Amino acid sequence: QVQLVESGGGLVQTGGSLRLSCEAFEGTFSMVPMAWFREAPGKEREFVAHIHWSNGQVNYADALKGRFTISRDNAKKMVYLQMNSLKPEDTAVYYCAAARPGYSGSDYYFSQISSYWLWGQGTQVTVSS
């Protein structure tokens, strides 16, 4: 009944920008820690960014700091990922994920795949060189 749906992916040239969206359906959302992960061909799914449910605290993968920005709009039940200065190595399927409602943990905790119980179907981002 509860689901996450990503959108906004597409094809972009190196140096370009994309804004991904994730919409939560049939859930409360406002107390849910949210994150973005990505999975490139032949690689493990990896952490991209997290945003806390309470105070808006954010955390990013080290390699992505300064290029990617995560944000949320609780009234719209949406979470976003603004991606700038895109590189070919950013090519991947990007997934939205939800962790335990109301839980506060460390940055490390929220960077782990095992901390999330609900995932979207993903949206493809392709960066051409």
Side-chain angles (χ1 to χ4, degrees), residues 52-116:
H52 194 59
W53 62 269
S54 180
N55 58 12
Q57 178 184 342
V58 297
N59 182 249
Y60 301 93
D62 288 341
L64 304 179
K65 291 179 179 178
R67 295 197 299 120
F68 288 16
T69 302
I70 188 172
S71 61
R72 66 190 296 162
D73 185 332
N74 287 342
K76 296 181 179 179
K77 296 185 177 181
M78 300 283 288
V79 61
Y80 307 98
L81 184 69
Q82 178 67 46
M83 305 185 294
N84 299 323
S85 302
L86 285 164
K87 306 174 181 179
E89 50 263 46
D90 294 320
T91 295
V93 177
Y94 283 71
Y95 297 91
C96 182
R100 188 197 309 174
Y103 183 75
S104 296
S106 65
D107 288 345
Y108 176 80
Y109 175 85
F110 286 115
S111 74
Q112 303 303 296
I113 294 173
S114 61
S115 299
Y116 296 85

Side-chain angles (χ1 to χ4, degrees), residues 9-21:
L11 176 64
V12 65
Q13 293 182 326
T14 297
S17 298
L18 284 174
R19 186 182 187 234
L20 306 183
S21 298

